Amino acid sequence: MMKKPLAILALSVLPVFAWAGGGHSGGHEAPAHGMPGHDMSTMSAADSAIGRPGDPAKVTRTVEITMDDSMRFTPSEIPVKAGETIRFFVKNTGQIPHEMVIGTVADLKAHAAEMRKMSGMKHAEPNMITLAAGKIGGLVWTFDKPGTVDFACLVPGHMEAGMGGKVKVS
């Protein structure tokens, strides 16, 4: 019975030590990673499947999202209409770092695998925000066409613990 709580504790505490240990400081520039060919542009590019970076002057509405240490986003499902530009007002109410990354399931899984190899990675891309405990921030994103767009926390272990959500575009 103790294994599951200990596993959850380990998943929530280990990223804190990795974060405190440092990593690269700004965004996702390849040299900071030390991995040849690592390029975040595939996740932040204007990909019609997930939408594109939004113009803050054209925000249709604001959606508040809370991230917490139960490894959940609230809300975890967000309805939007095709063509809407949404400002996500993101709050980390937890005691450890969390992030929100918008992308396809395949991109999110691939980047989560990279994050496990390079603890302490911080994001500075239009489709991503990393927030320390108790911090707030925002993303502006335009959803171009109907479908489902995913988002997740890619801090190592968080997505695997269920920290993800969906934007349902109609």
Side-chain angles (χ1 to χ4, degrees):
M1 288 295 218
M2 288 296 289
K3 287 184 180 182
K4 188 172 185 177
L6 289 175
I8 292 170
L9 179 62
L11 287 174
S12 62
V13 174
L14 289 175
V16 174
F17 294 121
W19 199 275
H24 61 84
S25 61
H28 262 100
E29 298 85 13
H33 282 266
M35 280 182 64
H38 180 75
D39 181 6
M40 287 307 301
S41 65
T42 59
M43 286 194 68
S44 62
D47 178 355
S48 64
I50 65 168
R52 59 186 161 79
D55 179 349
K58 296 179 180 179
V59 168
T60 310
R61 65 186 165 110
T62 299
V63 174
E64 290 189 21
I65 296 182
T66 302
M67 305 182 292
D68 63 40
D69 296 345
S70 68
M71 303 301 153
R72 297 293 179 260
F73 288 96
T74 304
S76 61
E77 190 169 303
I78 303 160
V80 302
K81 294 187 186 309
E84 271 194 285
T85 297
I86 304 295
R87 178 183 317 277
F88 293 102
F89 181 70
V90 187
K91 300 181 205 177
N92 180 355
T93 60
Q95 300 297 310
I96 60 176
H98 293 291
E99 62 187 14
M100 178 181 177
V101 182
I102 299 169
T104 65
V105 171
D107 282 343
L108 293 171
K109 285 181 178 180
H111 195 71
E114 290 179 13
M115 292 283 291
R116 284 190 299 273
K117 294 176 188 171
M118 298 180 182
S119 297
M121 217 188 276
K122 295 178 187 173
H123 294 114
E125 301 287 337
N127 65 323
M128 309 173 176
I129 186 165
T130 302
L131 295 173
K135 298 298 181 183
I136 60 173
L139 291 174
V140 177
W141 199 257
T142 299
F143 296 91
D144 294 329
K145 64 183 186 178
T148 300
V149 177
D150 291 275
F151 60 93
C153 178
L154 301 185
V155 171
H158 293 204
M159 185 172 82
E160 296 80 358
M163 195 166 185
K166 296 184 180 303
V167 177
K168 303 279 186 156
V169 186
S170 59

XYZ file of all heavy atoms in Angstrom, residues 4 57 127-128:
30
model
N 2.501 3.213 -3.749
C 1.876 4.238 -4.581
C 2.090 5.642 -4.003
O 2.536 6.522 -4.718
C 0.391 3.938 -4.788
C -0.250 4.850 -5.791
C -1.652 4.418 -6.117
C -2.207 5.294 -7.216
N -3.531 4.889 -7.623
N -3.674 41.711 -28.937
C -4.665 42.737 -29.262
C -5.961 42.128 -29.795
O -6.977 42.815 -29.887
C -4.090 43.716 -30.282
N 3.961 28.689 -27.115
C 2.985 27.682 -26.702
C 3.306 27.052 -25.354
O 2.737 26.031 -24.995
C 2.872 26.583 -27.766
C 4.161 25.808 -27.918
O 5.256 26.354 -27.841
N 4.056 24.517 -28.139
N 4.199 27.680 -24.583
C 4.671 27.086 -23.332
C 4.873 28.144 -22.263
O 5.310 29.251 -22.560
C 6.039 26.434 -23.539
C 6.133 25.504 -24.668
S 7.863 25.000 -24.879
C 7.674 23.824 -26.192
